[in-house]
Amino acid sequence: MTADAIDIAQGAVASAGTSRPMLAIEDLSKGFTLHAAGRRVRGCEGISLSIEAGEFVGVTGRSGSGKSTILKCIYRTNLPEAGRIVYDSAAFGPVDLATLDERRVIYLRNYEIGYISQFLDVVPRTTARDIVRASAAEAFEDPDVIESETVRMLEHFDFPQELWDLYPNTFSGGEKLRLNIARAMVRRPRLLLLDEPTASLDNASKIKVRDLIEQLKAGGTTMLGIFHDLEFMEGVCDREYNMQAGGFVAG
């Protein structure tokens, strides 16, 4: 057994039989220094939030209020300046994502935590089918299952077959966003972060996103999502928080 495998096994044993939130954010703060302008910009400040396994929590607020900063701190594309982000990992047990070493952060991104942004960022000259298939291969071992899940996801989002083997730089903004959602959701992650997943989608595509969110929730995925309007998620979202000027405000 490799050292990595031993670490993973020990973490799984340590977390077995315990009851704790899937994610617990404690007094999280993150700001940004604009050196060229000599300015300090607030991202989020004093954020505390607890999410139970299988919950779907929504965060609303105006653009610039700090919503995306929270998700990026959890995913560790932003390094928090203060506070803790305790995630109950299946592989390692409870870990603080604010200070976790890069090796385990990368592991969690690959196998446990998904992130849907508003922008598609992929390796150049990779087809739509290959993008979804590569993500499916991180979640499934059987080649037939990988292929069937890839096809299922592309068909769910109404991608015509003639687009499957094209490069997404030729796609519209809405098609790129749908591909981004397909890539993240095909893995069925334990924790899914959604950053305005319906921002540029038509109503039909929004319904398809909602359908997949319902399926993932039924399968036990825990979700934290940012939305300008949670109306279309009514009945699916368990709790809602509103942000203003970097912090939560009473609803």
Side-chain angles (χ1 to χ4, degrees):
M1 182 178 289
T2 67
D4 283 354
I6 292 172
D7 286 346
I8 292 169
Q10 289 175 338
V13 170
S15 63
T18 61
S19 176
R20 59 174 65 91
M22 176 70 73
L23 188 70
I25 302 173
E26 303 170 6
D27 204 25
L28 174 68
S29 295
K30 172 64 178 177
F32 304 90
T33 300
L34 306 181
H35 296 282
R39 293 180 53 201
R40 177 76 175 168
V41 177
R42 177 172 52 190
C44 64
E45 186 173 353
I47 297 297
S48 294
L49 169 68
S50 179
I51 306 176
E52 300 296 325
E55 271 196 307
F56 176 45
V57 173
V59 179
T60 60
R62 298 178 61 182
S63 297
S65 60
K67 304 184 303 297
S68 294
T69 301
I70 298 173
L71 296 194
K72 291 176 181 178
C73 285
I74 297 170
Y75 201 60
R76 266 283 290 278
T77 49
N78 283 344
L79 188 63
E81 294 177 326
R84 304 176 71 221
I85 306 171
V86 180
Y87 166 63
D88 189 18
S89 167
F92 310 114
V95 294
D96 183 0
L97 297 174
T99 58
L100 190 65
D101 62 274
E102 290 294 329
R103 178 180 66 90
R104 286 189 286 181
V105 167
I106 292 171
Y107 178 93
L108 293 177
R109 287 176 182 171
N110 287 339
Y111 298 105
E112 294 194 27
I113 303 176
Y115 185 96
I116 299 175
S117 73
Q118 301 175 49
F119 309 102
L120 181 66
D121 182 18
V122 296
V123 176
R125 302 183 68 82
T126 305
T127 69
R129 188 202 302 259
D130 286 341
I131 289 168
V132 179
R133 182 191 287 132
S135 189
E138 294 175 348
F140 308 101
E141 295 183 359
D142 188 326
D144 291 336
V145 174
I146 292 170
E147 191 61 29
S148 66
E149 286 296 304
T150 299
V151 170
R152 181 180 72 88
M153 199 61 67
L154 290 169
E155 289 180 342
H156 179 84
F157 280 109
D158 293 332
F159 281 101
Q161 287 197 21
E162 56 265 28
L163 294 184
W164 293 8
D165 296 310
L166 297 182
Y167 304 136
N169 63 333
T170 64
F171 291 4
S172 69
E175 287 171 336
K176 290 178 180 178
L177 181 54
R178 281 153 47 204
L179 183 61
N180 216 18
I181 296 169
R183 174 176 64 171
M185 289 189 167
V186 73
R187 294 167 50 200
R188 304 177 192 175
R190 294 183 78 243
L191 174 65
L192 181 59
L193 310 171
L194 306 100
D195 191 350
E196 295 287 2
T198 60
S200 60
L201 298 182
D202 56 38
N203 286 334
S205 295
K206 287 181 180 181
I207 292 172
K208 290 182 177 294
V209 173
R210 178 191 168 102
D211 288 344
L212 282 180
I213 287 175
E214 290 177 330
Q215 291 175 30
L216 289 176
K217 185 178 179 183
T221 294
T222 305
M223 286 173 273
L224 177 61
I226 291 172
F227 301 90
H228 281 300
D229 183 0
L230 280 174
E231 182 179 355
F232 97 106
M233 290 306 304
E234 185 177 351
V236 180
C237 185
D238 296 298
R239 286 183 287 132
E240 176 185 344
Y241 291 83
N242 182 256
M243 282 196 75
Q244 292 182 19
F248 289 146
V249 296

